[in-house]
Amino acid sequence: MLKHIKKAISVFLERLAKENEKAFGKAPLDCCRLNRSPATATAKRQTPGEP
């Protein structure tokens, strides 16, 4: 039973990886390539109260 679930999850993750590779390529994701400004990406990472 658990082996069947593990295999199903593994197959799903492999398909997901292939689709992501088609959409984004093999290079690391970069905010500039995703049409986001670096300031926006930095602002999202900071928690409230941080300088």
Side-chain angles (χ1 to χ4, degrees):
M1 176 73 175
L2 290 177
K3 287 183 182 181
H4 177 70
I5 294 171
K6 183 178 177 181
K7 179 150 176 75
I9 292 172
S10 180
V11 169
F12 169 76
L13 290 175
E14 287 297 320
R15 278 193 307 227
L16 184 63
K18 287 179 186 177
E19 289 298 318
N20 284 343
E21 189 175 316
K22 279 191 232 175
F24 301 112
K26 290 187 178 184
L29 296 179
D30 183 11
C31 61
C32 296
R33 292 182 59 208
L34 295 174
N35 296 324
R36 293 186 185 158
S37 68
T40 304
T42 304
K44 288 183 178 180
R45 283 195 310 239
Q46 291 179 344
T47 59
E50 283 187 359

